[in-house]
Amino acid sequence: MTRPRVVVVGSGFAGTFAARTLERALGPEDADLLLISATDHLCYSPLLPEVAAGRLDPRRIAVPLHAVLHRTRTMQAVVDGVDLEARTLTVRHGDAGSEHLAWDRLVLTVGSVTRTFPTPGVAEHALGLKTLAEAQYLHDHVLRQLELADAATDEDERRARMTFVVVGAGYAGTETAAQVQRMTVRQLDRFPRLPAAELRWVLVDSAERVLPELGPRLGRAALRVIRSRGMEVRLGTTIARMTGDRVTLTDGTVLPAHTVLWTVGVTPPPLVEQLGLPVTRGRVRVDEQLRLVEGVWVAGDAAAARDPFSSAGTDYPPTAQHAQRQGVVIGRNVAASLGRGRARRYRHRDLGLVADLGGTAAVARPVRIPLTGLPAKLVTKGYHLMALPAAANRLRVGSDWAVNLVSRPIAAQLGLVDRRAASLTAERLGVAEG
Ligand SMILES: Cc1cc2nc3c(=O)[nH]c(=O)nc-3n(C[C@H](O)[C@H](O)[C@H](O)COP(=O)(O)OP(=O)(O)OC[C@H]3O[C@@H](n4cnc5c(N)ncnc54)[C@H](O)[C@@H]3O)c2cc1C
């Protein structure tokens, strides 16, 4: 008798934790476990802003799959198609061609990609921050702009090189803007010819507040911190269009700038569209056991699961906190479908979020308690250390943070990431790290 094949697609929080749970819930004779992902690691994305700010090396937050999975076969490849009736996948192995793979149980955890509205110029010129390649590229790009500003003979060109626009004041945009701006301020002593007053960081959002995920009080606290550091925050506005050296806001302001970081939310990757199933805000609608159809489950950013604790009747937000826990529930539910254990519903009350603003500043709302300053900082750092799934990553992140307390992070452009690999198009095609 052949064993049933359980295939997990995606190695983010949901996929990795689903596979890990399956390893524990099923015996080796119960099923063959296969995880297919474009990357050979889990990217701990909550710390991407620290990579962009040069405070952590990219490898610190790449958790290799072999460090957390022991019995699952892993395959680095891109899934281009799912046939729900024939129960097969089309799997692309880079230049080495494609193959069809059969499955008996399927777990889809393909996460999300940066959402780009049809705003002219964004897809071509804006930078994203969803992958390690993008974070590393952003770091190099920002340092390069300071070099180019220093070399500029024209004042307008110098000012444009020293202007950085961040679109989206959610946690990804606000944390990154705060941390990378701080890096540039600290870099200015390397460039005595650059006028500090010309360094300009502009954070824009169409909403009326920053960090809406953390509530109005902490949003205001974060706003005070970043404004006191010289960040220009423009709320109730966004980008109308952009070119490689000019950004036009919806209020008519024109900002000459060569850098736009675009963090205005996420949408599932093309594979989800390809399924042609009912979606809410692009996410596939699943039931309370995170089931799509018989034998297929979806979790994490790609899944729209109704949040029973939300008074507004919304879906669970696309966060790592939910993706990881949903992965565990899916693992158990797949095992139950193979006769091991009992299926369960996904129910999780949000534990709150943390946002590191660089230096000693942070805001956090663990279990609904609003914190700012040093207590928030300690909670933020402690939370990430606990949440990192592998001891080796925890140790290295912790030691980098300790060294950062006594020594300024090394700021150097390594040029290892090509602009194409860090583009929003590469994110969608799954080729950034594929
Ligand atoms: C900058 C930033 C900061 C964040 N901060 C926080 C935070 O502080 N707290 C929090 O809770 N959340 C945070 N998040 C959100 C969190 O990272 C996501 O909600 C979480 O990663 C979603 O997990 P996932 O498993 O659904 O998808 P992902 O982690 O995105 O993983 C998806 C996986 O699927 C793979 N994949 C995609 N398509 C294919 C395909 N066709 N074939 C094969 N493989 C494929 C990808 O390579 C990847 O391995 C942050 C996100 C960002 C970008």
Side-chain angles (χ1 to χ4, degrees):
M1 280 240 309
T2 55
R3 287 186 289 265
R5 182 189 275 163
V6 179
V7 180
V8 177
V9 183
S11 62
F13 289 88
T16 306
F17 278 82
R20 197 154 98 164
T21 307
L22 281 162
E23 287 189 353
R24 291 172 182 173
L26 294 175
E29 299 308 316
D30 289 330
D32 286 332
L33 305 178
L34 171 65
L35 184 146
I36 307 174
S37 183
T39 56
D40 65 352
H41 58 268
L42 175 158
C43 169
Y44 187 83
S45 23
L47 289 178
L48 282 172
E50 293 216 31
V51 173
R55 299 183 61 77
L56 284 177
D57 262 0
R59 270 193 192 78
R60 304 290 191 255
I61 65 164
V63 180
L65 294 179
H66 63 76
V68 281
L69 299 177
H70 308 294
R71 198 155 52 78
T72 307
R73 180 183 162 212
T74 60
M75 181 189 280
Q76 188 179 6
V78 174
V79 173
D80 279 333
V82 181
D83 188 329
L84 293 173
E85 293 211 341
R87 295 201 159 197
T88 56
L89 297 174
T90 310
V91 182
R92 175 164 43 96
H93 301 276
D95 294 338
S98 296
E99 65 170 322
H100 292 290
L101 264 177
W103 47 268
D104 299 290
R105 303 287 186 277
L106 180 65
V107 170
L108 288 174
T109 56
V110 287
S112 54
V113 294
T114 303
R115 179 158 48 111
T116 52
F117 298 107
T119 308
V122 167
E124 299 83 10
H125 303 293
L127 303 175
L129 191 75
K130 280 288 292 171
T131 65
L132 281 166
E134 287 172 330
Q136 184 62 41
Y137 184 83
L138 177 65
H139 175 75
D140 284 9
H141 172 87
V142 168
L143 292 178
R144 179 81 182 126
Q145 299 316 300
L146 295 182
E147 294 284 356
L148 290 170
D150 196 44
T153 47
D154 175 71
E155 274 184 26
D156 291 340
E157 171 69 3
R158 186 181 67 216
R159 272 193 284 270
R161 294 283 174 194
M162 291 179 76
T163 301
F164 302 91
V165 181
V166 179
V167 192
Y171 51 76
T174 307
E175 278 189 306
T176 311
Q179 295 193 31
V180 184
Q181 183 232 18
R182 198 163 172 274
M183 173 186 85
T184 54
V185 170
R186 297 178 97 196
Q187 283 302 306
L188 283 182
D189 56 8
R190 278 179 49 202
F191 299 99
R193 287 159 19 111
L194 292 183
E198 286 183 11
L199 181 64
R200 189 175 182 196
W201 278 81
V202 188
L203 176 63
V204 300
D205 199 303
S206 53
E208 290 297 340
R209 56 185 216 217
V210 304
L211 290 174
E213 306 90 342
L214 281 154
R217 182 169 156 195
L218 291 179
R220 282 195 299 275
L223 193 57
R224 274 196 300 277
V225 169
I226 57 178
R227 279 197 165 137
S228 73
R229 291 182 185 159
M231 175 101 52
E232 214 173 301
V233 183
R234 292 175 169 238
L235 299 173
T237 184
T238 187
I239 286 197
R241 61 187 164 278
M242 64 177 289
T243 61
D245 59 5
R246 187 170 297 266
V247 176
T248 307
L249 302 184
T250 44
D251 64 7
T253 311
V254 175
L255 300 168
H258 293 264
T259 310
V260 175
L261 175 64
W262 184 261
T263 65
V264 288
V266 292
T267 189
L271 184 66
V272 171
E273 283 164 34
Q274 184 265 347
L275 292 173
L277 293 167
V279 290
T280 305
R281 293 175 165 221
R283 304 166 88 190
V284 197
R285 173 69 46 210
V286 289
D287 69 13
E288 53 185 9
Q289 290 186 5
L290 306 173
R291 206 171 27 191
L292 177 64
V293 291
E294 199 58 38
V296 184
W297 292 259
V298 189
D301 285 8
R306 187 76 66 220
D307 179 356
F309 302 105
S310 146
S311 47
T314 53
D315 295 321
Y316 286 109
T319 62
Q321 186 186 139
H322 287 292
Q324 179 171 328
R325 286 174 174 79
Q326 290 182 354
V328 172
V329 168
I330 280 197
R332 289 193 177 136
N333 290 351
V334 173
S337 77
L338 294 169
R340 299 284 178 201
R342 216 167 28 84
R344 53 193 74 194
R345 294 178 295 168
Y346 177 72
R347 286 174 74 82
H348 172 66
R349 200 185 279 276
D350 221 281
L351 294 175
L353 273 170
V354 296
D356 191 336
L357 303 173
T360 53
V363 288
R365 196 164 53 89
V367 287
R368 293 166 185 250
I369 306 166
L371 299 174
T372 56
L374 206 54
K377 191 77 176 187
L378 293 174
V379 166
T380 304
K381 296 289 189 199
Y383 171 79
H384 289 313
L385 278 188
M386 264 172 27
L388 268 163
N393 294 85
R394 249 178 261 141
L395 191 67
R396 285 178 171 78
V397 166
S399 54
D400 269 13
W401 282 344
V403 174
N404 286 345
L405 289 175
V406 291
S407 161
R408 194 192 273 200
I410 296 166
Q413 301 164 53
L414 300 182
L416 298 175
V417 180
D418 172 77
R419 173 76 178 95
R420 269 176 315 153
S423 69
L424 296 176
T425 314
E427 242 188 56
R428 282 182 67 77
L429 297 176
V431 295
E433 289 142 292

